[in-house]
Amino acid sequence: MRPLLERARENLRGRRVLAVMAGKGGVGKSVIAALLATARKAPLIDLDLFGMAVPKLFGVAGRLHEVGKEGIEPIEVGGVRIFSVGGIVGDRYVVLPGAYQGGVVEALLAFAKLGDAREVVVDMPPGMGEELLSLHRVADFTPILVTTPSAASHGVVKHLIDYLLELGKRPAAVVMNMAYVKCDGGVVYPFGKGEEVKKLVEMYKIPLTEVPIDPRLEDYIGEIYSYRGIVYEAIQTLSKVI
C-alpha cells in the first residue's frame, strides 16, 4: 500500500490527462503545452522537474504556491491554473537523485488542487525517464508528441511512439513544431519539410499538426496566455483532433 500513489490516482480519477511530451529537448514542448492549456482552459501541471519552463512562460517564476492541509493551491494567471515544482522551490535549480524523482511527481499529482477540472494538461520532461513511468503508474494519460522537422528528431520520436504503444497509450497527435515560416509572401522550411516525420505518422496512423514559426512569439514569454498569433491558431487546430 502506497498512500501517496493512491492519493495521486484518486486526484486524477475521472479527469482526462493530456501529456505533452517529446523524445528530445529543444523542440518547443513547453510552449505547446502552455498554449494548449490556454486554449482548452485546463489546469497545467509542470512535471519537467529540471527545466521548469512553465513558470517563466507565464511570468510567475519565483512566485510560490500556497500549501495547506488540503493540498497545493494553483498559481492562476491568464485564466490558467498552474502547478510546478518551481512554485515550491522558487526560482532555483533542482538536483534530484533518480530514486526521488518519482516521489516528487506523485506528490505534485496527489496534492494539486484541481477543483472541478475534467481535463488536465501535463508538461512532461523530454525523453523516457522516471517522470513518464510515474505518470503511467498514476493515470491513464493521453500522449501528445512534439517534434521538429529535423531528421535528428525522427529516431527518438519513433522510439517514444513504440514505447507508448507497448504501454497501450496511442498518441492522440504528433505536433511538428517550427515546421515553416512565412516570409515575403512565400514559405521557408528552415529545418526541412519533415518528410520522415510525415512517413512516421502515416505508418502509425496518428494525426499530424504542423505548427509554424512566429518570431513574435518571443515577445510573449512571460505572458504566453495573451498570445493569439499563428502558433496559437495551429494549437486550436490541434485541439480539435485530440
Side-chain angles (χ1 to χ4, degrees):
M1 182 81 175
R2 294 177 54 187
L4 187 61
L5 175 61
E6 292 304 318
R7 174 158 180 162
R9 287 173 174 168
E10 183 59 32
N11 197 27
L12 293 178
R13 187 167 287 121
R15 310 182 200 269
R16 190 181 187 209
V17 178
L18 299 174
V20 182
M21 56 184 63
K24 63 188 295 294
V27 299
K29 169 187 55 62
S30 294
V31 169
I32 299 300
L35 292 176
L36 184 62
T38 301
R40 296 182 79 91
K41 297 178 172 58
L44 176 57
I45 301 178
D46 180 11
L47 291 187
D48 192 347
L49 305 180
F50 307 106
M52 292 186 291
V54 166
K56 295 179 177 64
L57 290 171
F58 283 87
V60 297
R63 187 170 157 187
L64 300 179
H65 290 292
E66 293 184 15
V67 182
K69 292 181 180 180
E70 299 301 316
I72 302 170
E73 296 286 348
I75 296 172
E76 187 165 349
V77 58
V80 180
R81 288 171 284 171
I82 298 166
F83 301 88
S84 174
V85 171
I88 306 296
V89 301
D91 193 16
R92 292 172 52 85
Y93 62 84
V94 174
V95 178
L96 282 174
Y100 292 97
Q101 293 174 25
V104 172
V105 168
E106 288 180 9
L108 198 57
L109 296 175
F111 293 106
K113 293 181 69 174
L114 299 171
D116 60 356
R118 295 186 176 182
E119 191 172 73
V120 179
V121 176
V122 176
D123 182 25
M124 297 294 292
M128 296 176 282
E130 180 59 34
E131 296 91 342
L132 176 54
L133 297 175
S134 297
L135 182 64
H136 177 53
R137 286 193 293 267
V138 170
D140 182 17
F141 63 91
T142 300
I144 298 167
L145 274 54
V146 182
T147 184
T148 66
S150 171
S153 298
H154 167 260
V156 291
V157 172
K158 185 179 186 305
H159 290 158
L160 184 53
I161 292 174
D162 287 341
Y163 176 67
L164 290 167
L165 290 176
E166 287 180 12
L167 293 181
K169 311 289 187 186
R170 171 167 287 276
V174 169
V175 177
M176 188 158 68
N177 195 25
M178 298 179 275
Y180 58 89
V181 60
K182 294 182 178 179
C183 181
D184 295 330
V187 178
V188 177
Y189 301 91
F191 305 112
K193 294 187 178 181
E195 296 299 337
E196 292 301 319
V197 175
K198 292 175 182 177
K199 290 177 185 177
L200 191 64
V201 297
E202 184 176 347
M203 179 174 68
Y204 287 102
K205 297 184 173 15
I206 301 171
L208 175 68
T209 297
E210 295 187 46
V211 177
I213 297 170
D214 184 357
R216 293 175 54 248
L217 186 60
E218 187 69 18
D219 296 335
Y220 289 86
I221 303 304
E223 51 176 334
I224 194 74
Y225 50 87
S226 298
Y227 174 76
R228 292 296 183 274
I230 55 176
V231 176
Y232 183 79
E233 292 171 3
I235 296 306
Q236 287 185 308
T237 300
L238 167 69
S239 192
K240 294 174 183 176
V241 302
I242 57 177

